[in-house]
Amino acid sequence: MKLGKAVSGDRIELRDYKDSDREFCMEMWFHPENGRYLSDPDQAHVDGKFRRALDGLEDNKAGCYCVAWLKNGQRLGTCCLFPEEDGSWDIGYCVHRRHWGRGYGTEIVGLLIKYVRGQGGKSLTAEVAKENAPSNALLKKLGFQAEREGEFSKYNMPVRYESWFYRLWLTESGE
């Protein structure tokens, strides 16, 4: 699945992931600090199965992988969208650590909301580690509400996080 056309905001735009973005993404996702709360492993725990999954990101049929770019042409972070049959879209996002604390995560998620609304989506969902205070605050700021608790593991690693499942309803009826 692809966005097709870039989704633009005031300072950034979201573009479809290309294989040429792989090095930037891997450096960010596998970094111990930057990727701490992602389900992706650190570099030492990447195996062949995971590498093969990376090979398919550009043409993934189940979801859409995107790279966030500053309007000056610099890569900023990543995000993803996975539509569900019930009209909900699950999202994920990651901002490169050199850009933390500047509100870019809020803008990325805002653009995801804009895109899903344009597709007629009913809601967005996101799972966030309870320990990840900045991401929990970001989602609450944008109107997401915690629906239930959960837990996830980092791929191929003995690291588990308790989590919150958040939802933002895009319809007035909330269903």
Side-chain angles (χ1 to χ4, degrees), residues 121-167:
K122 294 180 179 179
S123 67
L124 283 92
T125 60
E127 183 180 17
V128 177
K130 287 182 177 182
E131 293 177 31
N132 188 346
S135 195
N136 281 285
L138 181 159
L139 293 175
K140 290 175 185 176
K141 174 181 173 181
L142 291 173
F144 284 75
Q145 295 181 352
E147 282 193 331
R148 63 185 167 88
E149 296 179 62
E151 183 177 86
F152 69 91
S153 298
K154 289 188 79 61
Y155 177 84
N156 206 25
M157 295 176 67
V159 177
R160 299 185 70 77
Y161 291 106
E162 291 183 2
S163 62
W164 289 110
F165 283 90
Y166 286 93
R167 182 179 302 273

Side-chain angles (χ1 to χ4, degrees), residues 5-171:
K5 181 181 175 187
V7 180
S8 291
D10 292 337
R11 302 180 295 167
I12 66 171
E13 65 181 24
L14 306 180
R15 300 180 194 162
D16 288 317
Y17 169 89
K18 296 179 183 174
D19 196 52
S20 58
D21 297 313
R22 183 187 298 224
E23 188 176 322
F24 166 78
C25 294
M26 287 175 46
E27 188 276 328
M28 184 174 57
W29 296 339
F30 302 157
H31 187 274
E33 183 181 16
N34 212 131
R36 179 177 179 185
Y37 296 117
L38 300 178
S39 60
D40 302 307
D42 62 22
Q43 188 67 44
H45 291 87
V46 174
D47 61 8
K49 180 179 176 183
F50 197 89
R51 287 195 188 280
R52 285 188 297 281
L54 291 175
D55 290 340
L57 290 185
E58 189 169 1
D59 296 313
N60 189 295
K61 303 296 184 219
C64 180
Y65 290 89
C66 305
V67 175
W69 291 74
L70 290 169
K71 292 212 172 167
N72 69 7
Q74 184 180 20
R75 287 181 187 99
L76 165 69
T78 59
C79 57
C80 56
L81 294 148
F82 293 90
E84 304 292 333
E85 289 184 18
D86 65 358
S88 178
W89 293 62
D90 193 52
I91 64 168
Y93 51 91
C94 183
V95 175
H96 195 286
R97 64 194 174 281
R98 71 175 164 254
H99 299 292
W100 286 352
R102 297 183 193 148
Y104 292 125
T106 301
E107 191 168 343
I108 289 170
V109 175
L111 291 174
L112 293 175
I113 293 168
K114 173 183 170 181
Y115 178 80
V116 170
R117 267 199 179 108
Q119 301 302 305
K122 294 180 179 179
S123 67
L124 283 92
T125 60
E127 183 180 17
V128 177
K130 287 182 177 182
E131 293 177 31
N132 188 346
S135 195
N136 281 285
L138 181 159
L139 293 175
K140 290 175 185 176
K141 174 181 173 181
L142 291 173
F144 284 75
Q145 295 181 352
E147 282 193 331
R148 63 185 167 88
E149 296 179 62
E151 183 177 86
F152 69 91
S153 298
K154 289 188 79 61
Y155 177 84
N156 206 25
M157 295 176 67
V159 177
R160 299 185 70 77
Y161 291 106
E162 291 183 2
S163 62
W164 289 110
F165 283 90
Y166 286 93
R167 182 179 302 273
L168 173 69
W169 287 102
L170 301 176
T171 59

